[in-house]
Structure formats: C-alpha cells, structure tokens
Amino acid sequence: MNLRALAATAVYAVLEQGQSLSSALPTQQQALSNPKDKALLAELCYGVMRVLPQLDQCVSACLSKPFKGKQRIIHQLLLIGCYQLYFTRIPAHAAISETAEACRQLGHESLVKVVNGVLRNIQRQQPPLSEANSTLKYNFPAWIIKKLQAAYPEQWQQIIDNSQQRPPMWLRNNRQQQSREQYCQQLQEQAIAISVGSSDDAIMLQNPIDVAQLPAFNAGAVSVQDGAAQWAAQLLDAQTGELVLDACAAPGGKSCHILERTPGVQLVAVDNDSKRLARVSQNLQRLGLEAQVISGDAAAINTWWQGPKFDRILLDAPCSATGVIRRHPDIKWLRKAADITELSQLQAQILDHCWQWLRPGGILLYATCSIMPEENHQQIMAFLARTADAELQPITASQENCSLDWQILPGQDNMDGFYYAKLRKIDTA
Ligand SMILES: C[S@@+](CC[C@H](N)C(=O)[O-])C[C@H]1O[C@@H](n2cnc3c(N)ncnc32)[C@H](O)[C@@H]1O
C-alpha cells in the first residue's frame, strides 16, 4: 500500500475503532523502510489529528452524502488529502494523484473518481478553513474548551494554543554515566543545539532528532522524557536503602529515573497492563538498572505483595492525559466528557488503597499528565478531607516557585502539562 493508504488506515483505526495513534501508527510504519517516508506518514496522521474539525468540515462540504460503513476509510483518506493541500508543501498534483491511487489500493476502485474530484475541487477553490464555531476555530472538542474556560478563565486560550504546537524533544541525562554538563558538551560538539531544563537532569533539544544520532544513546547515556515528567523522581526524592513502589510504572520512564538518581533504592515497579509492563523491563535493561517488575493492580496490593509497607510511593495515576495533547493530539477525539468523572473515581480508589501501604512518616507523590482540576487539585483536596493522617508537603521547584501542589500547564517552560502533589503520612506513634 502507498503511504497515503497507510495513513488513512491509521487514522481510521483511531477515529472509527478507538485505537490510540501511538499504537496504530507503528503498525502502518512497519510497511515502510525509508525513515523519511516513516516521518511523512507520522506527519500526515498527527497533522490530521491536530486540525481534524476544519478538515472534516471542508471535506464534508464537498460530498453530496457522507460515506458509511466500510467506505468510511475513504472519508479518512480525504482528510489526509485535504491536509496535504492546506498544511504541507507537497505539490498539489502529487498529493492528489497519490491519494487517488491510495483509494484504489484500499479496494475502493469505484470511488477513485470521487476522491479525485473532491480534492481537485478543494485545490481549485481553496476555500478558507471554517472558524464558524469554537470547535472549528480552535480545533478542540467543545467539552474540553468549556472545561478549560471554567478552570483557567485567563489562560484557556494560551493552553489550547500551546496544545496545538509541535512539542520539543527532551532528554534525561543518565547521571550514572556522565554529568549533565558533560553530555551537553558532547551534544554541542556535534552541533546539536540545546538548553537545560529546570529539573536536575533535563536537556531540551532545539530541534527533534532521531535518537540514533544522539551520542551513546544505545549505551544508555540518555533517555527521551519530557521535562515535566522528569520532576517526578526529583520530587519523590527516594533515599538509598528505601523500599519504593512505582504503582503505575509502565513504560517505566520514572522508575528508571528514580534508580538513576539513587542506585541503592529497592524499587518495585507495578502495572496492570502486562504488554506495557514488558517495556519497563526493556528500559531497565537498556540502562543496566534493576527493579522488581510485577504485573498487578495498584488498587489490590495485597494480591501481589507480602512484604513490608513502602517508604515512598510514586502514584503516576491513569488520567485523561489532557496535559500532553501536543504530543498525542488524538486524545482530543478519543476522550469523552464522562471519562473525567470515571478517571477521577479510579484515581481516588487507587490513591486510598496505596495510602494503606505507605509506612507512617512515608511520602506519596501523586502525579498526572492532566490539566483537569477534578483529577488534580480537587482530587487531592478531597483526599485530604477524608484522610486524617495525610498532609501536603510544599513543592519547591525553583526559587520563585514554591506551592502546596503544582499544576504545570502545557508549554510552561516548554514542558508538558503535569500535576504533582507530595503527601506525607503523619506518624502518630
Ligand atoms: C501515566 S501511565 C504511567 C507512566 C509511567 N509512570 C512512566 O513514567 O513511564 C499510567 C499507567 O497506569 C497503569 N494502570 C492503570 N490502572 C492501573 C491499576 N489499577 N493498577 C496498576 N496500574 C494501572 C496503566 O497501564 C498505565 O501504564
């Protein structure tokens, strides 16, 4: 199948079958060998997710009746075609002929003329993309816009704007191998432009590059991890000899960082998704780190753990991921308003249970990559109200920034949207 047919298949898997783009895209990329083609395939799929409402409106306006059933994939193919005409430098004639050929390859020979006609029409008329309502204007679902307006009356537009940008690439220096300064020097020697982040190990690249081009990447010198996520290990501040639980660990970025910072930590890395858990083991192996990796439910610790209570717990809870829309624009279309309530109930359940497994005097760091107050500040306030032996420990992220809990908004210091609350179990003995 040609690249446009692969792109339509991936977009179909997301929009019609509810798969995430990060699982649908690699499946299609396997069919390509040239890295440039793989990158173009990603650009088309991610691009469509970013501006879906406008593309949808433009394509639908050109169709006398919408495609249904098995033909839906041709609607997705037209979105890919339309995206190329408005948002890429691919010459229009090539974009149109390749997209029409994809229609044939997808087994819809009878619709080739329709695809050709619709795209030629759009190319000739270049109608301005509609901004007729807020969904079209911002390319965001109305329910998220509403929630952001209520939670962030001053900043919601900036949040949306930042969530529509392409994210920078961040590295986490592996301090077991070299200091951040040493690695920065190696990058600069290779003319890779960088700046350092606010947390101890973070390095931001001016332009994303293939990890294969990073000095000693395969030897574990660095890992790819957003600057906001790198605050987790720093705020948890695990000490040598402590028993630490990473309760929702997969794919293991934060587990590895905890061990890189403090090698003598006894880490238990748990996740209830065994497929994702395999990636924890792979990441530990690449970095030469050791942890107990367990497939289990963080809301039923007694079913897989007979050891003592934990000194520290990182609870990087399952969440709406609304803070990382710039990295995963498909989240806008996969999440539904009701998910926020469901997720906040699940988070409360896991939080209450993990608390039972924290020793008195211990620390639990609650984290999400969400920007919804129900999953974050409100969640923690409700927890404090029902938990007599819990108190918040202030978070000091910089000289200017000291607060009880910490909501990072997308794009703030170039980081993803993230939330942290550091809870201490009061020792009543
Ligand atoms: C935000 S991700 C964790 C990211 C990870 N901490 C990292 O830095 O790589 C949330 C994880 O929670 C897991 N999860 C969801 N519900 C769970 C449960 N009841 N018990 C354990 N893990 C769970 C999901 O499978 C997912 O891998």
Side-chain angles (χ1 to χ4, degrees):
M1 283 210 279
N2 79 7
L3 198 148
R4 277 72 176 174
L6 297 171
T9 308
V11 171
Y12 179 88
V14 175
L15 299 179
E16 305 287 333
Q17 298 174 323
Q19 268 189 49
S20 71
L21 188 53
S22 43
S23 87
L25 180 63
T27 312
Q28 302 308 318
Q29 278 178 323
Q30 279 171 12
L32 300 169
S33 51
N34 183 335
K36 276 195 180 156
D37 287 341
K38 284 183 198 259
L40 177 58
L41 177 58
E43 158 65 14
L44 297 182
C45 296
Y46 276 92
V48 166
M49 294 301 155
R50 270 195 201 101
V51 289
L52 181 66
Q54 287 187 320
L55 298 176
D56 227 354
Q57 194 277 340
C58 181
V59 164
S60 299
C62 297
L63 293 169
S64 50
K65 59 177 181 21
F67 293 116
K68 293 223 172 85
K70 283 192 177 158
Q71 294 187 341
R72 269 316 276 169
I73 196 161
I74 301 307
H75 184 81
Q76 270 85 47
L77 181 65
L78 283 169
L79 300 177
I80 304 279
C82 189
Y83 180 78
Q84 293 171 80
L85 295 176
Y86 278 93
F87 296 98
T88 71
R89 291 200 205 130
I90 299 167
H93 63 90
I96 295 173
S97 66
E98 288 287 314
T99 308
E101 172 56 23
C103 180
R104 182 172 295 117
Q105 293 186 5
L106 288 166
H108 293 278
E109 181 86 44
S110 62
L111 296 174
V112 170
K113 268 195 187 148
V114 180
V115 167
N116 233 318
V118 167
L119 293 179
R120 279 194 197 292
N121 235 339
I122 295 174
Q123 184 219 348
R124 251 196 324 271
Q125 296 172 9
Q126 288 276 332
L129 291 171
S130 173
E131 297 193 358
N133 57 42
S134 62
T135 293
L136 286 164
K137 180 166 176 195
Y138 297 110
N139 283 302
F140 251 68
W143 72 270
I144 301 189
I145 300 176
K146 248 193 192 159
K147 274 189 168 290
L148 293 179
Q149 284 170 332
Y152 306 100
E154 312 268 295
Q155 296 140 302
W156 67 272
Q157 269 168 308
Q158 187 67 57
I159 293 172
I160 288 178
D161 192 38
N162 289 345
S163 300
Q164 289 289 88
Q165 305 301 317
R166 281 150 216 264
M169 180 170 173
W170 285 88
L171 302 178
R172 182 185 80 232
N173 179 59
N174 180 357
R175 54 170 72 192
Q176 293 307 313
Q177 298 207 3
Q178 71 277 309
S179 70
R180 176 165 69 172
E181 289 62 37
Q182 284 167 334
Y183 198 75
C184 285
Q185 202 173 339
Q186 289 184 42
L187 291 171
Q188 280 159 338
E189 279 162 12
Q190 296 206 9
I192 299 173
I194 48 138
S195 56
V196 293
S198 52
S199 60
D200 291 346
D201 302 310
I203 302 170
M204 194 183 78
L205 302 185
Q206 218 100 88
N207 301 300
I209 59 170
D210 189 335
V211 290
Q213 289 173 38
L214 292 168
F217 179 80
N218 285 333
V222 283
S223 300
V224 176
Q225 187 177 42
D226 188 81
Q230 294 190 43
W231 272 103
Q234 190 161 333
L235 293 174
L236 185 70
D237 197 24
Q239 304 294 309
T240 304
E242 283 184 339
L243 180 62
V244 175
L245 170 65
D246 186 349
C248 293
K254 299 181 187 77
S255 278
C256 292
H257 196 197
I258 292 167
L259 292 167
E260 284 171 4
R261 284 182 68 92
T262 317
V265 159
Q266 293 177 59
L267 187 78
V268 180
V270 172
D271 204 281
N272 69 350
D273 181 333
S274 40
K275 229 169 147 194
R276 281 168 65 86
L277 201 64
R279 291 185 51 208
V280 180
S281 304
Q282 286 162 12
N283 282 325
L284 287 164
Q285 200 175 12
R286 181 180 74 88
L287 295 163
L289 301 167
E290 272 180 34
Q292 242 181 296
V293 179
I294 299 177
S295 171
D297 183 353
I301 295 178
N302 46 311
T303 59
W304 48 263
W305 183 250
Q306 281 76 46
K309 291 190 173 181
F310 296 91
D311 297 304
R312 290 181 203 242
I313 297 178
L314 170 60
L315 174 50
D316 187 15
C319 72
S320 63
T322 38
V324 292
I325 284 174
R326 60 184 195 156
R327 291 193 191 281
H328 304 285
D330 50 322
I331 284 170
K332 291 185 290 184
W333 318 118
L334 293 173
R335 290 272 172 282
K336 300 288 167 256
D339 295 349
I340 305 296
T341 315
E342 249 173 58
L343 281 163
S344 62
Q345 285 164 358
L346 174 66
Q347 290 151 1
Q349 191 195 347
I350 299 178
L351 179 53
D352 285 339
H353 185 78
C354 283
W355 194 251
Q356 307 308 314
W357 284 89
L358 184 67
R359 72 153 167 84
I363 296 285
L364 184 148
L365 183 70
Y366 176 83
T368 73
C369 57
S370 163
I371 50 173
M372 296 296 172
E374 295 98 309
E375 300 178 84
N376 298 340
H377 185 72
Q378 289 172 14
Q379 176 76 268
I380 294 304
M381 291 304 123
F383 175 74
L384 288 169
R386 66 175 178 266
T387 313
D389 60 354
E391 65 179 12
L392 266 180
Q393 291 236 303
I395 287 178
T396 310
S398 67
Q399 274 178 337
E400 314 87 64
N401 187 341
C402 176
S403 54
L404 274 180
D405 56 350
W406 189 20
Q407 178 67 70
I408 306 172
L409 294 176
Q412 188 178 321
D413 294 329
N414 291 305
M415 295 190 286
D416 283 344
F418 238 86
Y419 174 80
Y420 289 111
K422 191 169 177 174
L423 297 156
R424 199 182 85 89
K425 193 168 199 167
I426 299 164
D427 193 348
T428 45

